[in-house]
Amino acid sequence: MKKKSGTMSYECPACGYRSSKWMGFCPSCQDAPEGLIPVESPASRLESFLEGGGGGPVRSLRMEDVGKAEVERSTSGFREFDRVLGGGFVRGSFVLLGGDPGVGKSTLVLQAVAHMANGRKVLYAAGEESPEQIRMRYDRLGRKGGDLYILPETDLEKIVGEVERLSPELLVVDSIQTVSMGPGGPASGSVGLLRESASVLLELAKKSAVTVLVIGHVTKEGVIAGPRVLEHLVDTVLYLEGDRSHPVRLLRTVKNRFGPTRELGIFEMSSEGLREVENASSFFLEGRKDRLSGSVIVSSLEGTRPLLVELQTLVSPTTFPNPRRVAQGIGASRLSILAAVLERRCGLSLSSRDIYVNVVGGVTLEETASDLGLAMSLAGSLRDISLSPEVVVFGEVGLGGEVRRVQETESRLVEARRHGFVHAVIPDGGKKNPVIPGLVTHPVREVGQALSLLGKLGGGKP
Ligand code: TYD
Ligand code: MG
């Protein structure tokens, strides 16, 4: 068979523009004084690959013949932390823990490390605080000794050297922003340095089977110079969130090669460090007032568990040319969309009113299942009708005002019943509507139906 000879194409060295004809300048960026340069076209590259026998003997494996990876995990001493990790730290994995400065990253890690150092060797490379400061905090957290080594060093070469010498099971780097690579390395504070030092640590994790836990501050300028640039590189990305004025701290999985993502761990900052909150729903429902218009309990699925949280809305006449839409814990665009749906489909006059929404406890509800609760909370505040505190609401609301089903209806209902709820406003699933003893369900198809339940369920002026 006669082979068709490969063709050449021409490329701009500056911007990569390609053309089948040679040109003395680049029509795309005008930045090629020598003109386009010839490159082999993909077709001729393929031919040469085929002629060369495909680059030597490489074989694919039948799925059945691929060995199963044994994952060895160790516990952090916190059930919440372990769950977020997918069952504990995986040996030889690279975990990134991000969060705002002061949120409690070092505290959380120090507590976990203290647990792990009982029986395992841990090396803590501290670039932010002196060993004495760490010792003070360690003592304050009520921890003792263990096989924990503090390395007051930021030079990556020295950190790597110490790992080789000590061969710990866990290496903590606090924080990646303080790591330096000495003369000749990328400039300090640059994205390049962040990336390069993280790749060295990644290699180290894989080569030496040491678990690497790196702390990274989310910086104001950002997203760019912060831990986000490392997300694609590492095995697991966790973020510790929370407001300094509130003791709740949420630990979220953003990425996990060794477990589920979107998992959520809940902690409370105390004078003895972070304490895990095991009964999350009762924690968030604590201190709620009996009757308050605009207050609705929603069920949001955070990772694998349903969480009951209170949503509060205040709707009031505006004094601004553009009414205000302020949302804490709910996406601003979701709120605007829902307000528009209620205005168009249910005739609620919201466009001349300010709307303030707050999710109690500092949680962020990312799930659309909170839509229906938000709708009832908006209407409740507008009409000044309070809902009985024994009602839980969930369901997604579409642009047509239709109420859509959400995942895990049954486990949400079970959780609500466990916390003493008696009524649930839920999306109508027809024959699939679950029956939970002691809980009266009110299935709805349209958001308007849910709003008309406002009066019936507890109802009345607060
Ligand atoms: P830290 O872990 O240093 O934050 P990060 O490493 O994320 O920058 O946490 C600092 C905050 O936590 C500080 O404001 C004090 C508070 N904190 C407590 O409230 N209780 C404690 O037991 C500890 C150790 C810290
Ligand atoms: Mg710190």
Side-chain angles (χ1 to χ4, degrees), residues 292-312:
L292 187 69
S293 69
S295 154
V296 171
I297 309 298
V298 300
S299 169
S300 179
L301 200 66
E302 294 296 332
T304 47
R305 69 175 164 191
L307 199 65
L308 295 163
V309 279
E310 181 183 355
L311 237 164
Q312 295 177 335

Side-chain angles (χ1 to χ4, degrees), residues 231-246:
E231 280 182 5
H232 67 283
L233 205 78
V234 309
D235 296 314
T236 304
V237 181
L238 311 176
Y239 278 94
L240 188 64
E241 301 167 0
D243 184 0
R244 276 202 221 185
S245 59
H246 206 286

Side-chain angles (χ1 to χ4, degrees), residues 106 128-129 174 217:
S106 303
E128 304 234 327
E129 288 154 299
D174 187 1
H217 296 296

Side-chain angles (χ1 to χ4, degrees), residues 198-451:
S199 350
V200 170
L201 289 167
L202 183 69
E203 281 290 323
L204 182 70
K206 304 299 163 200
K207 201 181 125 278
S208 315
V210 52
T211 307
V212 177
L213 171 59
V214 168
I215 294 179
H217 296 296
V218 175
T219 46
K220 274 272 175 314
E221 61 282 5
V223 193
I224 347 166
R228 291 259 143 118
V229 297
L230 306 178
E231 280 182 5
H232 67 283
L233 205 78
V234 309
D235 296 314
T236 304
V237 181
L238 311 176
Y239 278 94
L240 188 64
E241 301 167 0
D243 184 0
R244 276 202 221 185
S245 59
H246 206 286
V248 179
R249 297 290 180 272
L250 304 173
L251 186 63
R252 269 183 206 280
T253 329
V254 178
K255 165 181 176 178
N256 198 356
R257 288 190 182 138
F258 300 106
T261 48
R262 288 188 50 83
E263 198 52 82
L264 182 77
I266 303 173
F267 296 86
E268 185 183 14
M269 182 62 95
S270 72
S271 54
E272 285 96 44
L274 287 157
R275 265 207 301 255
E276 47 195 337
V277 173
E278 288 184 11
N279 198 341
S281 291
S282 36
F283 180 78
F284 286 112
L285 295 176
E286 223 169 64
R288 103 192 115 119
K289 275 174 67 180
D290 259 7
R291 295 226 183 280
L292 187 69
S293 69
S295 154
V296 171
I297 309 298
V298 300
S299 169
S300 179
L301 200 66
E302 294 296 332
T304 47
R305 69 175 164 191
L307 199 65
L308 295 163
V309 279
E310 181 183 355
L311 237 164
Q312 295 177 335
T313 299
L314 187 68
V315 176
S316 68
T318 189
T319 51
F320 301 99
N322 293 316
R324 306 196 66 186
R325 303 277 182 260
V326 182
Q328 215 166 59
I330 276 232
S333 61
R334 271 226 88 71
L335 172 60
S336 301
I337 293 170
L338 209 60
V341 170
L342 293 178
E343 180 119 26
R344 274 292 301 277
R345 310 286 172 199
C346 307
L348 258 57
S349 71
L350 291 166
S351 56
S352 58
R353 289 180 161 88
D354 292 333
I355 303 177
Y356 302 91
V357 178
N358 180 35
V359 180
V360 179
V363 209
T364 303
L365 301 179
E366 283 167 4
E367 231 205 348
T368 50
S370 49
D371 287 355
L372 192 60
L374 181 58
M376 288 182 81
S377 149
L378 279 162
S381 175
L382 180 73
R383 298 177 181 157
D384 202 18
I385 304 175
S386 69
L387 199 60
S388 151
E390 294 173 333
V391 184
V392 64
V393 184
F394 59 84
E396 183 183 318
V397 176
L399 289 182
E402 76 280 14
V403 176
R404 298 214 194 97
R405 278 197 291 164
V406 293
Q407 333 163 36
E408 300 288 339
T409 299
E410 188 157 351
S411 58
R412 290 179 211 252
L413 293 175
V414 169
E415 173 80 354
R417 185 63 206 117
R418 211 158 63 83
H419 284 88
F421 286 80
V422 180
H423 295 275
V425 183
I426 61 167
D428 193 354
K431 289 202 182 82
K432 289 195 186 139
N433 284 337
V435 178
I436 310 288
L439 192 71
V440 185
T441 52
H442 304 266
V444 295
R445 288 177 183 274
E446 298 286 329
V447 68
Q449 280 175 283
L451 302 195

Side-chain angles (χ1 to χ4, degrees), residues 97-111 124 128-129 136-138 140-141 174-175 215-217 240 244 249 268-274:
L97 171 66
D100 289 334
V103 72
K105 300 180 294 297
S106 303
T107 307
L108 176 67
V109 169
L110 209 55
Q111 285 179 265
Y124 193 110
E128 304 234 327
E129 288 154 299
M136 221 162 71
R137 192 188 301 203
Y138 199 64
R140 196 151 78 79
L141 293 170
D174 187 1
S175 68
I215 294 179
H217 296 296
L240 188 64
R244 276 202 221 185
R249 297 290 180 272
E268 185 183 14
M269 182 62 95
S270 72
S271 54
E272 285 96 44
L274 287 157

